[in-house]
Amino acid sequence: YGNYATASVNIEGKSKWGLIDKGGNEVIPPMCDYAIYKGEDVVYVNNGLNCSAFRKKTVTKNRTIGLWEENYIMGKWGIVNLKNELIVSFTYSRLNPFGDGYISASLGKKAGLITAYGERITPFKYDLILPIRRDYEIYFALIKPSGSGVIDSKGNFVLEPIYSGIGVNCSNDEDGWIVVNKGNETFYIDKQWKRCCL
């Protein structure tokens, strides 16, 4: 993205990640277990992430079968700026940056929306958060079984959380479509945030 890229080196048998510029110069030293850069002025970093693969032998009556199994330890996510200053501590079990300053962050199994500087926009009570782009604005579908809705970038509901399900087009176009379910009914949501029958 732009002038920077995440890169890893092998240190004592482990991959350590940092950030380099176009010339290969180190911007953030390789110190974390994984890093994500989305073209912003921050880097999303993980401490404790570990994925190991091993071969497990299963013995049956007539033969031995070797199967690969993977073991994941998820670690904790935080955020550093391009000066390598920690601006969000290693708190989150998952970060899903949308690339424009907003992140779906998880504490345990529940997600909330935060900014790239750690400001909380929603509580952590959702199963899934998806971005919706419409007319050069970004909105977010907040999905949970007891009531899904859509908010704007400031956290205000533009579609009240009364729906049992939401389907969205998450592409980067300006005409992201939204389909909602309420009971046995399915509706399309137009650009004015009004329901239209399909």
Side-chain angles (χ1 to χ4, degrees):
Y1 285 94
N3 295 318
Y4 303 102
T6 54
S8 68
V9 296
N10 189 304
I11 299 176
E12 297 179 358
K14 286 186 152 187
S15 289
K16 291 293 182 181
W17 289 77
L19 192 73
I20 58 172
D21 65 16
K22 277 186 174 179
N25 302 303
E26 193 176 272
V27 178
I28 295 175
M31 60 176 189
C32 50
D33 296 316
Y34 196 63
I36 298 171
Y37 178 70
K38 289 279 193 176
E40 302 159 301
D41 57 355
V42 296
V43 182
Y44 307 98
V45 290
N46 184 290
N47 271 342
L49 180 68
N50 188 4
C51 175
S52 58
F54 57 94
R55 197 170 180 88
K56 181 180 179 183
K57 290 184 178 180
T58 302
V59 180
T60 65
K61 186 174 182 181
N62 299 319
R63 60 185 176 153
T64 300
I65 303 170
L67 300 172
W68 283 102
E69 289 193 4
E70 292 182 338
N71 181 34
Y72 287 94
I73 299 171
M74 297 310 293
K76 293 290 184 184
W77 288 90
I79 303 173
V80 298
N81 63 21
L82 297 184
K83 296 178 182 177
N84 196 26
E85 298 167 335
L86 186 66
I87 56 175
V88 176
S89 64
F90 292 92
T91 305
Y92 298 103
S93 53
R94 188 178 301 271
L95 289 181
N96 182 18
F98 298 131
D100 41 21
Y102 297 96
I103 305 140
S104 172
S106 295
L107 289 172
K109 295 183 177 180
K110 292 299 180 181
L113 187 69
I114 66 170
T115 69
Y117 291 92
E119 176 191 355
R120 292 185 182 191
I121 297 172
T122 71
F124 288 80
K125 63 180 185 180
Y126 300 98
D127 295 335
L128 184 63
I129 299 176
L130 298 172
I132 305 166
R133 290 170 177 86
R134 283 188 156 186
D135 295 327
Y136 304 100
E137 296 289 332
I138 187 165
Y139 301 89
F140 302 94
L142 308 177
I143 300 170
K144 64 176 184 172
S146 61
S148 300
V150 176
I151 59 170
D152 63 17
S153 60
K154 296 196 175 12
N156 303 309
F157 277 98
V158 295
L159 200 61
E160 291 300 319
I162 58 173
Y163 299 98
S164 55
I166 297 179
V168 302
N169 172 11
C170 296
S171 68
N172 288 325
D173 64 20
E174 284 76 44
D175 292 318
W177 51 258
I178 304 170
V179 174
V180 296
N181 300 317
K182 189 172 184 187
N184 294 326
E185 295 181 288
T186 300
F187 302 92
Y188 170 77
I189 303 298
D190 67 17
K191 288 287 191 77
Q192 287 73 44
W193 301 101
K194 305 292 186 190
R195 294 191 313 189
C196 306
C197 290
L198 290 176

